Amino acid sequence: MDDPRDLLEAGRFEDLAQDDHPLWRGLALLELRRYAEAARTFEEAPGAAESGSLLELAGAARWLAGDREMAAEKWIAALDAPHDGPAGGVKPPALLYYAGLRIPEERYVLRGSRLLGKLWKPKLSRVWPGPVAGYLLGKVEETAFLEDGYEDPDLEARRLASARFWAGVKAQDPELAKAHFEASAAIEGASALEVEHHLARGEIGR
């Protein structure tokens, strides 16, 4: 049996969609743009309701399937789910903020911003995705946000796909935003593990 990470990084998504593990299967379905199936896969996974990562991915799948309110509900649920360390808690309020901008729904923007503000401390910028909070709050400068990366190529692919997405969200110029989203979506391999990579693909198709 091929290693699922190898299949992911090789772009063998049809094969990966047959994997027994719902995370890998769901990621493959996202890459194949089978969004409703991906959402069900993440939502029906064992322990999904207590997994911040699975809730974030389920929300992205719902978002890309066109069910934005359900997506926001998943991201709200992720606010209370366990995450890895303080930096891991940054993504759900950032996603809620994003949902609020796009739906648009001001209360989501305000709640996401408020929660990011409560989480933010300068030391959070040392561990990804901690800098996302500082960047969205205007506390981290964009050049550093985009360029301060990892030597490990897989970690850097994931970080940069995420960073480019958030730069696109924050960009005022539509052409610049599009360039950031396209850059995020174009990063292959381990970037598929990041919810932002998939949302960036959705932004390009808007």
Side-chain angles (χ1 to χ4, degrees):
M1 182 69 182
D2 289 307
D3 182 271
R5 189 179 287 270
D6 292 341
L7 293 176
L8 182 77
E9 295 185 3
R12 292 170 56 190
F13 304 124
E14 291 286 359
D15 292 334
L16 190 59
Q18 310 305 314
D19 195 84
D20 290 336
H21 197 291
L23 171 65
W24 299 112
R25 193 163 68 250
L27 288 171
L29 291 167
L30 277 178
E31 288 287 348
L32 294 167
R33 302 180 191 270
R34 289 156 59 182
Y35 300 129
E37 286 180 73
R40 288 194 299 273
T41 299
F42 293 129
E43 290 163 1
E44 294 168 5
E50 291 79 44
S51 167
S53 297
L54 287 173
L55 286 166
E56 290 160 16
L57 287 164
R62 288 292 175 197
W63 185 271
L64 293 166
D67 192 347
R68 293 187 162 192
E69 286 297 340
M70 177 65 81
E73 288 179 20
K74 296 293 178 188
W75 292 335
I76 289 168
L79 293 170
D80 298 319
H83 288 84
D84 293 332
V90 164
K91 202 164 280 194
L95 290 168
L96 186 60
Y97 171 84
Y98 165 70
L101 291 176
R102 289 291 186 265
I103 289 175
E105 178 54 75
E106 184 66 16
R107 64 195 169 101
Y108 291 162
V109 174
L110 293 173
R111 187 177 181 189
S113 299
R114 188 180 75 251
L115 291 170
L116 289 170
K118 288 174 71 174
L119 283 168
W120 173 248
K121 296 177 179 63
K123 67 180 181 182
L124 204 62
S125 65
R126 298 175 198 156
V127 183
W128 195 265
V132 172
Y135 176 67
L136 293 177
L137 293 167
K139 308 286 189 184
V140 172
E141 191 265 328
E142 184 167 288
T143 301
F145 179 69
L146 290 173
E147 295 181 1
D148 289 353
Y150 292 103
E151 290 185 10
D152 180 277
D154 286 348
L155 289 176
E156 179 57 11
R158 295 178 64 174
R159 186 204 70 83
L160 190 57
S162 176
R164 283 288 203 151
F165 171 78
W166 292 113
V169 170
K170 200 170 179 186
Q172 298 298 311
D173 174 33
E175 287 303 312
L176 180 58
K178 183 183 177 188
H180 282 305
F181 291 134
E182 287 177 343
S184 174
I187 298 170
E188 297 179 345
S191 62
L193 290 160
E194 297 300 317
V195 64
E196 294 95 333
H197 166 75
H198 302 286
L199 292 173
R201 292 172 67 190
E203 285 286 335
I204 295 167
R206 284 207 309 151

